[in-house]
Amino acid sequence: MIMIRGCSFPLDRYYHADYNVWVQPGANGVVTLGATSYGAALAVEFFAFTPKAIGTKVDVGRAVGVLELSKTVVSVRAPVAGVVLEVNTAAVAKPEIIGADPYGTGWLVRLTAPWNETIANCLLSEATLAPAFEAEMALENFQGPLAI
Amino acid sequence: MKTRLAILLLATDSALPHLCATPFFHAATAAAMDVEVEIFFTSRSIKLLARGVADALPSGPRQRDTVYAFMQRAAEHGAKFYACPQAMDEYDVVQPDFIPEVTGVAGAAAFLGRCMDDQWATITY
C-alpha cells in the first residue's frame, strides 16, 4: 500500500485517476469496482448509492451508478467495459460504508468484463498511480482527508 | 428503458427559492446516470436564467448553496438549458443577460415534441 496526501492506495488493484475508482480483476472474468479513498475523502459523506441494474451493459467511461453526496451527485464511471453482474446491496442500504471501507466492504459493483494486459496497461498501478493521483490532488488543492 | 429526460419548469419560481433546487438536483442525477437531459424554462422560471438571479437565491434554510450552484452542477453533468421565447418576452429576459449555462431558446413545440416521443420521459416542476 502507498499513501498519497493521507489517502491509502492498496497495490493489489488498478486505478483510474479521472474517475477516482479502483478495479480488481478476479476469477472467471469478474472485475470488482469501487471508489478510492481519495474519492471518499472528497465526498466527506455519502447519502445514497444507486447502481445500474444487474445485466446492464456498460461501455468504458459510462456510469455504473450514481453517488449522492450532501449537495451534489457524482457518476461512478467504469474504466473497463462490461456487464453489471452484482451490486453491493450493503452499500446501497448503508452508503456510509463506502467512505468507511472503500477498498473492502464498501465496494460498489462487480462486472463481467474481459481482462487482459492491454486493459491493465490503460489503468494505473504501482509504478504510475502516485504521480497521477498527486497531480489530481494538486489540481483540487487537496491537503488530506478531513478529521471527522 | 427510456434514456432521455425532458424537464419542464413551470412553477419553479424565484419567489419560492426553496422549491428551486430540486429540479436541478434531479437533472444532475439523471445526467450522472448517462441520461440525456433537457430543461425547458417557462413562465416565471425564465428569471432563473438571467445573470445574478439564481446566484442570489438560497436553496434552503441552511443556505449552504445557492440555487445557481445546483444549476451549475446540472449543467456540468451535461443537462441542457432551454429558454422559452414567450416567457422571455413576458418577463423581459433577454439573451445577452443569460447565464452561460443556457444552451439556447426553444419553445412549446420543442417540449411537446419530447412528450410525444417514446424515447423521452418528462417531468414538470
Side-chain angles (χ1 to χ4, degrees):
Chain A
M1 179 181 296
I2 63 171
M3 299 294 292
I4 307 170
R5 298 198 186 196
C7 295
S8 60
F9 292 84
L11 298 176
D12 60 352
R13 61 199 74 198
Y14 297 85
Y15 296 86
H16 194 291
D18 287 346
Y19 302 158
N20 230 331
V21 297
W22 56 266
V23 289
Q24 188 174 45
N28 303 318
V30 176
V31 173
T32 304
L33 183 154
T36 67
S37 60
Y38 171 47
L42 288 176
V44 181
E45 194 174 7
F46 293 96
F47 280 28
F49 169 49
T50 306
K52 289 273 179 78
I54 290 172
T56 302
K57 185 174 181 294
V58 181
D59 290 328
V60 174
R62 307 306 289 181
V64 294
V66 169
L67 292 165
E68 293 183 37
L69 314 179
S70 170
K71 289 288 179 183
T72 191
V73 292
V74 179
S75 285
V76 181
R77 304 225 167 257
V80 297
V83 175
V84 179
L85 175 71
E86 184 180 355
V87 302
N88 187 353
T89 53
V92 173
K94 290 183 67 179
E96 59 267 31
I97 68 171
I98 299 165
D101 188 16
Y103 299 118
T105 57
W107 63 275
L108 298 175
V109 298
R110 291 198 169 107
L111 305 170
T112 305
W115 188 266
N116 55 47
E117 196 173 334
T118 304
I119 293 170
N121 287 339
C122 291
L123 300 169
L124 301 167
S125 57
E126 182 173 0
T128 52
L129 75 90
F133 275 98
E134 179 62 45
E136 285 288 324
M137 291 173 179
L139 202 61
E140 294 286 337
N141 195 27
F142 177 78
Q143 301 302 317
L146 294 174
I148 298 177
Chain B
M1 191 168 73
K2 294 174 181 174
T3 57
R4 295 171 167 179
L5 173 64
I7 293 174
L8 181 74
L9 300 186
L10 178 63
T12 303
D13 187 338
S14 58
L16 300 167
H18 62 290
L19 299 181
C20 289
T22 298
F24 301 107
F25 196 82
H26 287 183
T29 304
M33 298 180 82
D34 293 333
V35 173
E36 184 179 344
V37 179
E38 295 179 347
I39 305 176
F40 294 85
F41 292 73
T42 68
S43 189
R44 289 166 63 99
S45 76
I46 198 75
K47 293 181 175 182
L48 295 173
L49 296 182
R51 265 196 305 272
V53 174
D55 210 16
L57 298 177
S59 60
R62 296 170 74 177
Q63 302 196 9
R64 288 186 293 189
D65 272 325
T66 65
V67 171
Y68 186 48
F70 283 86
M71 295 171 73
Q72 287 179 302
R73 288 182 201 125
E76 286 165 7
H77 279 288
K80 294 175 181 168
F81 293 2
Y82 291 103
C84 168
Q86 289 82 5
M88 289 171 62
D89 181 57
E90 187 67 26
Y91 292 99
D92 292 324
V93 176
V94 293
Q95 288 200 39
D97 290 341
F98 278 167
I99 55 174
E101 288 78 11
V102 177
T103 306
V105 175
F111 178 71
L112 291 169
R114 301 310 190 209
C115 293
M116 304 306 289
D117 190 323
D118 289 342
Q119 293 189 10
W120 287 79
T122 58
I123 306 176
T124 300
Y125 293 92

